[in-house]
Amino acid sequence: MPKVLFLTTSHNYNDDRIFHHQAKALKNSGYEVKICSLYEDYKGAIEGIKIESYAVLEESIQKKTETFQDVCMNFLPDCIICSEPLAVVAVKDFVKEKKISCIYDITEWYPSMSMMKEYRFPNKIFQAIKFSLIQIYAGFLSTHFIFGESTKKFPLAYLFGLKKQMILPYYPDPVYIKENIKPLEPGTISLCYTGQISKDKGIGNFFNAIRKIHEKSPELKIKVIIVGSTKEKSDEVYFSKLLNENTFAEIDIRKPTSFEKFTEVFADADLCFDLREINFENNHSLPIKLFYFMGVGKPVVYSDLKGIREHMGKLSFVNLVDPRNADHIAEIVINYTRNPELYRSHAINAITEFKERYNWTLIRNFFIGFVNRSIDK
């Protein structure tokens, strides 16, 4: 039975992509699977997948490296799948000595904007160069690449073009989707925002659109569902200000829930929103939430991101918008309330596209085959 080890520094051991999709797919195909995360302490097994996780994220690089190395020596995998450069670098000697495959699964920008925000100019330039060189070094050490989306292929796919690689999008397994097409209630609209509550992620743009809807259609009852939480104190202050300025709407704030129940928590919404700012990083990303929204059967109002257009083309249920154009966004929402059949057709289109093009069952075997070929190289 082949052994596959997942290593991650910043993702939890029960991460949706690593645990709920990749690890489960391999386990169900006869592999022995272990996940090691540096995010939280946990030892045991979940659904037959071994977990050896340590809360050492704030420890030294040496401590993190040694943790990964010890797990490798005890498990003796035939293939290692790494989510961050540190994991790749930590196991380079083990990979070389045992002549096994090391797959680098690139799903995040490295360095990301969040990594760089703590640095000031000109140190920020130095740090960006340093992190970029680490990323390139990890690409050099890896034997294979998995890219979460085509826009994240740069620079590794071009610097190391001879290495085997695949695109593995963030499509959800239908088992985690609670389908719910709602008929619109006359005179009422329920609008949903999910995820981190911050200005960058678009909470301000969302409330600007709500105010504009109220101005254009004051008789319309607006219900707002917010699923998420703030991380920074500044975001908390900003969010409180927005709430105080929008007392005309009925606002329901819901705590983040487990991954397995994520789609249940917004199933009663009519429309789902993501109006994140269009900076370089956001613009070249393919947001995971979009696939969950469509699976449930929700028409979507989303920032007009290059990552969405390049990967998915024209969609029959998504309204791609300038996130700061509250007037245009309001017109889209009001148009749905006046044309319930249009709303229903978009909801049906969302589920149809999810089932036919954008779910995990369609790409699962490509992932399993890629891992298997990396072992048999």
Side-chain angles (χ1 to χ4, degrees), residues 106-135:
I106 299 108
T107 62
E108 308 288 347
W109 288 101
Y110 194 92
S112 66
M113 292 177 65
S114 61
M115 289 173 61
M116 301 306 301
K117 69 179 181 180
E118 63 182 274
Y119 300 106
R120 295 182 180 275
F121 184 85
N123 188 34
K124 180 173 287 193
I125 296 176
F126 170 75
Q127 294 296 332
I129 294 172
K130 182 184 76 173
F131 287 132
S132 296
L133 291 175
I134 293 171
Q135 171 80 327

Short mmCIF file of all heavy atoms in Angstrom, two decimals, residues 106-135:
data_model
loop_
_atom_site.label_atom_id
_atom_site.label_comp_id
_atom_site.label_asym_id
_atom_site.label_seq_id
_atom_site.Cartn_x
_atom_site.Cartn_y
_atom_site.Cartn_z
N ILE A 106 0.75 24.38 -5.06
CA ILE A 106 0.76 25.84 -4.93
C ILE A 106 -0.67 26.37 -5.03
O ILE A 106 -1.28 26.37 -6.10
CB ILE A 106 1.65 26.49 -6.02
CG1 ILE A 106 3.09 26.01 -5.88
CG2 ILE A 106 1.61 28.00 -5.91
CD1 ILE A 106 3.54 25.06 -6.93
N THR A 107 -1.18 26.82 -3.89
CA THR A 107 -2.54 27.37 -3.85
C THR A 107 -2.56 28.82 -3.39
O THR A 107 -3.59 29.48 -3.49
CB THR A 107 -3.44 26.54 -2.92
OG1 THR A 107 -2.91 26.60 -1.58
CG2 THR A 107 -3.51 25.09 -3.36
N GLU A 108 -1.45 29.31 -2.85
CA GLU A 108 -1.39 30.67 -2.33
C GLU A 108 -0.29 31.46 -3.05
O GLU A 108 0.68 30.89 -3.54
CB GLU A 108 -1.07 30.66 -0.83
CG GLU A 108 -1.99 29.77 0.00
CD GLU A 108 -3.39 30.33 0.14
OE1 GLU A 108 -3.59 31.51 -0.20
OE2 GLU A 108 -4.29 29.58 0.58
N TRP A 109 -0.45 32.77 -3.09
CA TRP A 109 0.61 33.63 -3.60
C TRP A 109 1.75 33.64 -2.60
O TRP A 109 1.54 33.68 -1.38
CB TRP A 109 0.09 35.05 -3.79
CG TRP A 109 -0.84 35.18 -4.95
CD1 TRP A 109 -2.20 35.24 -4.92
CD2 TRP A 109 -0.47 35.22 -6.34
NE1 TRP A 109 -2.70 35.33 -6.19
CE2 TRP A 109 -1.66 35.32 -7.09
CE3 TRP A 109 0.75 35.18 -7.02
CZ2 TRP A 109 -1.67 35.39 -8.46
CZ3 TRP A 109 0.74 35.26 -8.41
CH2 TRP A 109 -0.46 35.36 -9.12
N TYR A 110 2.96 33.55 -3.10
CA TYR A 110 4.13 33.56 -2.22
C TYR A 110 5.22 34.43 -2.83
O TYR A 110 5.75 34.07 -3.89
CB TYR A 110 4.65 32.14 -2.00
CG TYR A 110 5.62 32.04 -0.85
CD1 TYR A 110 5.18 31.74 0.43
CD2 TYR A 110 6.98 32.30 -1.03
CE1 TYR A 110 6.07 31.67 1.49
CE2 TYR A 110 7.87 32.24 0.02
CZ TYR A 110 7.40 31.92 1.28
OH TYR A 110 8.29 31.88 2.34
N PRO A 111 5.54 35.58 -2.21
CA PRO A 111 4.94 36.06 -0.96
C PRO A 111 3.56 36.69 -1.20
O PRO A 111 3.32 37.29 -2.26
CB PRO A 111 5.93 37.11 -0.48
CG PRO A 111 6.56 37.63 -1.74
CD PRO A 111 6.63 36.46 -2.68
N SER A 112 2.69 36.56 -0.22
CA SER A 112 1.36 37.16 -0.32
C SER A 112 1.38 38.58 0.21
O SER A 112 2.32 38.98 0.92
CB SER A 112 0.35 36.33 0.49
OG SER A 112 0.67 36.40 1.88
N MET A 113 0.34 39.33 -0.11
CA MET A 113 0.25 40.70 0.38
C MET A 113 0.17 40.75 1.90
O MET A 113 0.70 41.64 2.55
CB MET A 113 -0.96 41.39 -0.25
CG MET A 113 -0.83 41.64 -1.74
SD MET A 113 -2.30 42.38 -2.48
CE MET A 113 -2.33 43.98 -1.67
N SER A 114 -0.50 39.75 2.49
CA SER A 114 -0.62 39.71 3.95
C SER A 114 0.74 39.47 4.60
O SER A 114 1.01 39.97 5.70
CB SER A 114 -1.61 38.62 4.37
OG SER A 114 -1.17 37.34 3.94
N MET A 115 1.61 38.72 3.93
CA MET A 115 2.96 38.50 4.46
C MET A 115 3.78 39.77 4.44
O MET A 115 4.62 40.00 5.32
CB MET A 115 3.69 37.43 3.63
CG MET A 115 3.17 36.01 3.80
SD MET A 115 3.97 34.87 2.64
CE MET A 115 5.69 35.01 3.14
N MET A 116 3.54 40.60 3.46
CA MET A 116 4.38 41.78 3.26
C MET A 116 3.91 43.03 4.00
O MET A 116 4.66 43.99 4.13
CB MET A 116 4.45 42.10 1.75
CG MET A 116 5.01 40.97 0.89
SD MET A 116 6.62 40.38 1.46
CE MET A 116 7.58 41.88 1.36
N LYS A 117 2.67 43.02 4.49
CA LYS A 117 2.12 44.26 5.03
C LYS A 117 2.82 44.73 6.31
O LYS A 117 2.76 45.92 6.64
CB LYS A 117 0.62 44.09 5.29
CG LYS A 117 0.26 43.13 6.42
CD LYS A 117 -1.25 43.07 6.58
CE LYS A 117 -1.64 42.15 7.72
NZ LYS A 117 -3.11 42.08 7.89
N GLU A 118 3.50 43.83 7.01
CA GLU A 118 4.18 44.23 8.25
C GLU A 118 5.51 44.92 7.99
O GLU A 118 6.11 45.50 8.90
CB GLU A 118 4.40 43.01 9.15
CG GLU A 118 5.31 41.96 8.54
CD GLU A 118 5.46 40.74 9.44
OE1 GLU A 118 6.34 40.79 10.33
OE2 GLU A 118 4.69 39.78 9.26
N TYR A 119 6.00 44.84 6.76
CA TYR A 119 7.30 45.44 6.43
C TYR A 119 7.13 46.84 5.84
O TYR A 119 6.18 47.12 5.12
CB TYR A 119 8.07 44.56 5.45
CG TYR A 119 8.35 43.17 5.96
CD1 TYR A 119 7.64 42.07 5.47
CD2 TYR A 119 9.31 42.95 6.93
CE1 TYR A 119 7.88 40.79 5.93
CE2 TYR A 119 9.57 41.67 7.40
CZ TYR A 119 8.85 40.60 6.90
OH TYR A 119 9.10 39.33 7.38
N ARG A 120 8.07 47.70 6.15
CA ARG A 120 8.06 49.06 5.62
C ARG A 120 9.09 49.20 4.50
O ARG A 120 10.06 48.45 4.45
CB ARG A 120 8.37 50.07 6.73
CG ARG A 120 7.31 50.13 7.84
CD ARG A 120 7.67 51.18 8.87
NE ARG A 120 6.67 51.26 9.92
CZ ARG A 120 5.57 51.99 9.85
NH1 ARG A 120 5.33 52.70 8.76
NH2 ARG A 120 4.70 52.02 10.84
N PHE A 121 8.86 50.16 3.62
CA PHE A 121 9.82 50.46 2.56
C PHE A 121 11.07 51.07 3.21
O PHE A 121 10.97 51.87 4.14
CB PHE A 121 9.18 51.45 1.58
CG PHE A 121 10.03 51.76 0.40
CD1 PHE A 121 10.03 50.95 -0.71
CD2 PHE A 121 10.86 52.89 0.40
CE1 PHE A 121 10.81 51.25 -1.80
CE2 PHE A 121 11.65 53.19 -0.67
CZ PHE A 121 11.63 52.36 -1.79
N PRO A 122 12.31 50.70 2.77
CA PRO A 122 12.64 49.85 1.63
C PRO A 122 12.81 48.37 1.99
O PRO A 122 13.10 47.54 1.14
CB PRO A 122 13.97 50.44 1.15
CG PRO A 122 14.62 50.91 2.42
CD PRO A 122 13.52 51.40 3.30
N ASN A 123 12.64 48.05 3.30
CA ASN A 123 12.80 46.67 3.73
C ASN A 123 11.81 45.74 3.04
O ASN A 123 12.09 44.56 2.82
CB ASN A 123 12.64 46.57 5.25
CG ASN A 123 12.99 45.19 5.79
OD1 ASN A 123 13.89 44.53 5.27
ND2 ASN A 123 12.28 44.76 6.81
N LYS A 124 10.66 46.29 2.66
CA LYS A 124 9.64 45.48 2.00
C LYS A 124 10.18 44.91 0.68
O LYS A 124 9.88 43.76 0.33
CB LYS A 124 8.39 46.33 1.74
CG LYS A 124 7.27 45.57 1.05
CD LYS A 124 6.00 46.41 0.97
CE LYS A 124 5.35 46.54 2.32
NZ LYS A 124 3.98 47.08 2.24
N ILE A 125 10.95 45.68 -0.05
CA ILE A 125 11.52 45.21 -1.31
C ILE A 125 12.49 44.06 -1.06
O ILE A 125 12.47 43.03 -1.74
CB ILE A 125 12.23 46.35 -2.06
CG1 ILE A 125 11.21 47.43 -2.45
CG2 ILE A 125 12.95 45.83 -3.29
CD1 ILE A 125 11.83 48.64 -3.10
N PHE A 126 13.35 44.22 -0.07
CA PHE A 126 14.31 43.17 0.28
C PHE A 126 13.58 41.89 0.67
O PHE A 126 13.96 40.78 0.23
CB PHE A 126 15.21 43.64 1.42
CG PHE A 126 16.07 42.55 2.00
CD1 PHE A 126 17.19 42.09 1.33
CD2 PHE A 126 15.73 41.97 3.22
CE1 PHE A 126 17.97 41.06 1.86
CE2 PHE A 126 16.50 40.96 3.76
CZ PHE A 126 17.63 40.50 3.08
N GLN A 127 12.56 42.02 1.51
CA GLN A 127 11.82 40.84 1.97
C GLN A 127 11.09 40.16 0.80
O GLN A 127 11.03 38.93 0.72
CB GLN A 127 10.81 41.23 3.05
CG GLN A 127 11.43 41.72 4.34
CD GLN A 127 12.25 40.65 5.05
OE1 GLN A 127 12.00 39.46 4.91
NE2 GLN A 127 13.25 41.08 5.80
N ALA A 128 10.53 40.94 -0.11
CA ALA A 128 9.84 40.37 -1.27
C ALA A 128 10.80 39.56 -2.13
O ALA A 128 10.47 38.46 -2.60
CB ALA A 128 9.19 41.47 -2.09
N ILE A 129 12.01 40.09 -2.33
CA ILE A 129 13.02 39.36 -3.10
C ILE A 129 13.43 38.09 -2.38
O ILE A 129 13.55 37.01 -2.99
CB ILE A 129 14.25 40.26 -3.35
CG1 ILE A 129 13.88 41.43 -4.25
CG2 ILE A 129 15.39 39.45 -3.96
CD1 ILE A 129 14.97 42.47 -4.40
N LYS A 130 13.62 38.18 -1.06
CA LYS A 130 14.02 37.01 -0.28
C LYS A 130 12.97 35.90 -0.36
O LYS A 130 13.30 34.74 -0.63
CB LYS A 130 14.23 37.40 1.19
CG LYS A 130 14.70 36.24 2.07
CD LYS A 130 14.82 36.64 3.52
CE LYS A 130 13.45 36.71 4.17
NZ LYS A 130 13.53 36.92 5.63
N PHE A 131 11.70 36.27 -0.14
CA PHE A 131 10.64 35.27 -0.18
C PHE A 131 10.48 34.68 -1.58
O PHE A 131 10.19 33.48 -1.74
CB PHE A 131 9.32 35.88 0.28
CG PHE A 131 9.25 36.14 1.76
CD1 PHE A 131 8.81 37.37 2.24
CD2 PHE A 131 9.61 35.17 2.69
CE1 PHE A 131 8.74 37.62 3.60
CE2 PHE A 131 9.55 35.41 4.05
CZ PHE A 131 9.11 36.64 4.51
N SER A 132 10.66 35.50 -2.60
CA SER A 132 10.56 35.01 -3.98
C SER A 132 11.66 34.00 -4.29
O SER A 132 11.42 32.99 -4.96
CB SER A 132 10.63 36.18 -4.97
OG SER A 132 9.54 37.05 -4.80
N LEU A 133 12.85 34.26 -3.78
CA LEU A 133 13.96 33.31 -3.98
C LEU A 133 13.70 32.00 -3.24
O LEU A 133 14.05 30.91 -3.74
CB LEU A 133 15.27 33.94 -3.51
CG LEU A 133 15.80 35.10 -4.37
CD1 LEU A 133 17.03 35.71 -3.75
CD2 LEU A 133 16.09 34.62 -5.79
N ILE A 134 13.10 32.08 -2.06
CA ILE A 134 12.73 30.86 -1.33
C ILE A 134 11.72 30.06 -2.14
O ILE A 134 11.81 28.82 -2.22
CB ILE A 134 12.16 31.23 0.05
CG1 ILE A 134 13.25 31.83 0.93
CG2 ILE A 134 11.56 30.00 0.73
CD1 ILE A 134 12.74 32.41 2.25
N GLN A 135 10.75 30.75 -2.73
CA GLN A 135 9.75 30.07 -3.57
C GLN A 135 10.41 29.37 -4.74
O GLN A 135 10.08 28.21 -5.07
CB GLN A 135 8.72 31.10 -4.05
CG GLN A 135 7.73 30.60 -5.10
CD GLN A 135 6.60 29.80 -4.50
OE1 GLN A 135 6.79 29.10 -3.51
NE2 GLN A 135 5.44 29.87 -5.11
#
